[in-house]
Amino acid sequence: MNILITGATGNVGLAILKSFANKNHSLKIFAGVRDAKPDSEILGNINVTKRKFDFENIETVKVALHEIDVLFLLRPPQISDVQKYFKPIIETTISAKVKHIVFLSVLGVQNSKIIPHHKIEKLIVESGINYTSLRPAYFMQNFTTTLLKDITENHRIFLPARKAKFTLIDVEDVGKVSANILADPNNHINKHYELTNNETLTFGEMADKLSKGLGRRIEFISPNLLRFFIAKRKDGLPIMLILVMIMLHYFPRFQNTPKTTNCVKELTGLEPKTFDQFVADNINRLK
């Protein structure tokens, strides 16, 4: 069986490839990459066959999907026009006779029709191709990417979240779940999995855990939207990314506390990583 992983050099893609590297299997794994040379450096010593896959160039998609049985599909953050980019990709997937799509969606996607993931899920369902939708909670890796500068330089978490509670997930757990489903897709046809760990935490509580793990005080500040927007523009963040951050951190203030699930343990046999474990594993980066 041939499997293509899109976004192979991103956090989730790498986690999937590393999970496959720890498995005994006879699968043929292909890594969808945008630029072969620098992406090869990111992939390092992972034994995988690379195929050029550019979401903004449908001709590369057509070539990359040749003889692919199962496709792991995600949405690059910079691409929001579903009709322009994802509709042709799904149509190409049909033409290429791909048997199954595993799509990386987001938690609560079914309740938010305006986000791109909702529209992509709809396209996949309407395509008639067997699918599995993975709906992960808030990625812990946000602390080692988007939020890292504020933590390391300003010793703070600066988000308009107030006391909203969040469920969390480590990318490694998403990688393990994804690899297991991709290796045996027939047991997951047309199913949705909400991926969380066993915690619900406010950012104030997460700041306390970071403080304890790092041995220095990390303060949580919840600014109003105008202050947040101005601060992030001064940091050089693009407007679209700031709006996404507002959607992720501000609107949960007006929603019910999300529920945790047992999906990770059911699909991998392992308990999902705690936030304390994540901090301990990434202590050098967070310092």
Side-chain angles (χ1 to χ4, degrees), residues 70-73 100-104 131-132 134 178 181-182:
V70 184
L71 171 67
F72 179 83
L73 183 66
H100 197 111
I101 297 174
V102 178
F103 176 57
L104 185 70
Y131 68 87
T132 307
L134 304 181
S178 302
I181 291 173
L182 289 163

Side-chain angles (χ1 to χ4, degrees), residues 261-272:
T261 73
N262 293 319
C263 289
V264 172
K265 186 172 182 179
E266 290 171 356
L267 293 166
T268 67
L270 303 170
E271 291 288 349

Side-chain angles (χ1 to χ4, degrees), residues 248-281:
L248 285 176
H249 304 100
Y250 178 76
F251 291 110
R253 288 164 45 171
F254 310 102
Q255 299 168 358
N256 294 328
T257 298
K259 296 179 180 179
T260 61
T261 73
N262 293 319
C263 289
V264 172
K265 186 172 182 179
E266 290 171 356
L267 293 166
T268 67
L270 303 170
E271 291 288 349
K273 188 177 291 187
T274 67
F275 189 67
D276 285 332
Q277 289 174 312
F278 166 78
V279 174
D281 290 346

Side-chain angles (χ1 to χ4, degrees), residues 16 22 37 41 43 89 91 98 110 132 136 147 150 177 199 210 218 228 241 250 257 265-266 268:
I16 296 171
N22 293 324
K37 188 173 182 180
E41 295 174 1
L43 291 171
I89 288 174
E91 290 172 348
V98 172
Q110 69 276 16
T132 307
L147 308 179
D150 252 340
V177 167
E199 301 168 299
L210 281 166
I218 302 298
F228 178 74
L241 178 55
Y250 178 76
T257 298
K265 186 172 182 179
E266 290 171 356
T268 67

Side-chain angles (χ1 to χ4, degrees), residues 2-278:
N2 295 335
I3 299 171
L4 176 66
I5 312 296
T6 65
T9 57
N11 281 335
V12 176
L14 284 172
I16 296 171
L17 294 176
K18 289 175 182 177
S19 293
F20 273 122
N22 293 324
K23 284 176 172 289
N24 291 321
H25 64 81
S26 58
L27 305 165
K28 184 70 173 177
I29 310 297
F30 296 87
V33 298
R34 185 171 184 175
D35 195 332
K37 188 173 182 180
D39 287 346
S40 293
E41 295 174 1
I42 295 172
L43 291 171
N45 296 323
I46 297 174
N47 185 20
V48 66
T49 303
K50 293 178 287 295
R51 282 190 177 179
K52 187 174 177 61
F53 190 106
D54 185 344
F55 285 86
E56 299 176 81
N57 184 341
I58 194 63
E59 294 305 316
T60 69
V61 176
K62 292 176 182 178
V63 175
L65 289 177
H66 179 63
E67 295 187 345
I68 293 299
D69 300 300
V70 184
L71 171 67
F72 179 83
L73 183 66
L74 51 67
R75 181 188 74 86
Q78 74 274 14
I79 294 180
S80 57
D81 192 332
V82 173
Q83 287 298 310
K84 181 177 180 179
Y85 295 108
F86 275 89
K87 187 176 181 181
I89 288 174
I90 300 303
E91 290 172 348
T92 303
T93 304
I94 297 170
S95 301
K97 295 183 169 52
V98 172
K99 300 180 180 67
H100 197 111
I101 297 174
V102 178
F103 176 57
L104 185 70
S105 191
V106 294
L107 194 67
V109 66
Q110 69 276 16
N111 301 319
S112 185
K113 295 182 179 181
I114 64 170
I115 63 174
H117 299 83
H118 182 97
K119 299 171 185 177
I120 297 169
E121 279 201 13
K122 189 171 185 290
L123 281 176
I124 293 171
V125 171
E126 291 174 349
S127 74
I129 298 174
N130 292 337
Y131 68 87
T132 307
S133 177
L134 304 181
R135 297 171 176 176
Y138 191 88
F139 282 132
M140 296 181 194
Q141 275 66 24
N142 286 327
F143 288 89
T144 53
T145 53
T146 310
L147 308 179
L148 184 61
K149 182 179 179 180
D150 252 340
I151 292 170
T152 57
E153 296 183 7
N154 302 319
H155 314 294
R156 69 181 187 180
I157 300 171
F158 187 77
L159 294 169
R162 287 196 184 174
K163 295 183 179 180
K165 284 188 174 286
F166 290 76
T167 51
L168 305 168
I169 192 71
D170 190 284
V171 163
E172 287 185 17
D173 290 322
V174 177
K176 292 171 185 175
V177 167
S178 302
N180 285 353
I181 291 173
L182 289 163
D184 188 19
N186 289 335
N187 282 328
H188 308 281
I189 292 175
N190 300 352
K191 292 184 178 180
H192 308 277
Y193 295 112
E194 296 183 343
L195 307 180
T196 78
N197 73 352
N198 300 319
E199 301 168 299
T200 55
L201 299 171
T202 66
F203 275 97
E205 291 168 331
M206 289 182 248
D208 289 340
K209 288 179 176 291
L210 281 166
S211 300
K212 182 179 178 181
L214 298 176
R216 59 184 171 87
R217 180 61 188 159
I218 302 298
E219 184 181 9
F220 170 55
I221 299 172
S222 181
N224 62 42
L225 292 184
L226 179 60
R227 182 185 173 196
F228 178 74
F229 184 87
I230 292 172
K232 292 304 163 185
R233 284 300 286 161
K234 285 183 178 178
D235 286 343
L237 270 63
I239 291 175
M240 184 57 67
L241 178 55
I242 298 172
L243 294 177
V244 170
M245 292 181 73
I246 289 172
M247 182 184 71
L248 285 176
H249 304 100
Y250 178 76
F251 291 110
R253 288 164 45 171
F254 310 102
Q255 299 168 358
N256 294 328
T257 298
K259 296 179 180 179
T260 61
T261 73
N262 293 319
C263 289
V264 172
K265 186 172 182 179
E266 290 171 356
L267 293 166
T268 67
L270 303 170
E271 291 288 349
K273 188 177 291 187
T274 67
F275 189 67
D276 285 332
Q277 289 174 312
F278 166 78

